[in-house]
Amino acid sequence: MSTPRPPEPEPVRPDLDDTDRLLLEHLSRDGRASYAEIGLLSNLSATAVRRRIDRLRARGVVRGFTVVLDPALLGWHTEAFVEVYCRPRTSPEELLATLRQFPEVAAAWTVTGDPDALVHLRATDTRHLEAVIERIRKEPGVQRSRSAVVLSQLI
């Protein structure tokens, strides 16, 4: 007889005020903006901006800063969303290890419904995309896939 699992704790939802939201909006537009620049836009001193951003980082609201690259300028002109269907008893950890092998994987999620995962791929062209999909399909935990090639980005 198995013991019942304790309920999962509720996720902590940080209380954000309007100033926090404004700072996050400025940061999301330009993560390299200085505290002084953000302060001018937010009507705060650079010191106040720094304190608030440090608090947001400490609370996990801001997890880091990153560079946003233009895939087309890097030669990645083709993209697709691939539904991946795994063999029975393939764990998400196994699938993650499989997908991490492919630099063409831009993002991947486990999902509800028939597929086990949804994978966002970027490739130089359709020939490259087809080769990557075939390599993924040959992985031991993968049973089959279904792809949708992106024609244009709307939003």
Side-chain angles (χ1 to χ4, degrees):
M1 178 169 218
S2 65
T3 58
R5 292 175 42 176
E8 299 259 338
E10 282 291 316
V12 176
R13 288 189 171 61
D15 294 322
L16 301 177
D17 63 20
D18 290 341
T19 303
D20 289 335
R21 286 183 178 82
L22 181 61
L23 296 179
L24 292 172
E25 183 181 324
H26 292 309
L27 274 179
S28 69
R29 276 196 232 121
D30 183 2
R32 289 181 47 129
S34 70
Y35 297 133
E37 291 170 317
I38 294 172
L40 284 173
L41 296 169
S42 308
N43 202 24
L44 294 170
S45 70
T47 305
V49 170
R50 180 173 177 258
R51 266 196 321 267
R52 280 185 172 260
I53 290 175
D54 285 348
R55 265 193 306 232
L56 291 167
R57 291 183 71 195
R59 291 164 52 198
V61 175
V62 174
R63 294 187 303 189
F65 302 89
T66 187
V67 174
V68 178
L69 304 173
D70 185 329
L73 293 177
L74 296 172
W76 301 85
H77 301 286
T78 305
E79 63 186 313
F81 288 90
V82 180
E83 293 177 343
V84 175
Y85 300 81
C86 295
R87 298 190 191 291
R89 293 181 291 288
T90 300
S91 71
E93 293 79 19
E94 290 173 87
L95 185 57
L96 174 61
T98 293
L99 295 175
R100 279 196 168 146
Q101 300 175 72
F102 299 93
E104 297 87 353
V105 174
W109 306 268
T110 55
V111 294
T112 61
D114 291 335
D116 295 291
L118 180 64
V119 180
H120 180 200
L121 294 179
R122 292 192 184 276
T124 55
D125 54 28
T126 54
R127 187 175 306 228
H128 178 196
L129 180 65
E130 181 180 19
V132 172
I133 292 169
E134 286 306 314
R135 287 186 4 241
I136 290 172
R137 290 175 65 159
K138 289 180 182 175
E139 289 294 321
V142 176
Q143 188 170 33
R144 65 185 179 95
S145 68
R146 188 168 80 181
S147 307
V149 176
V150 174
L151 298 178
S152 64
Q153 182 175 348
L154 298 176
I155 297 176

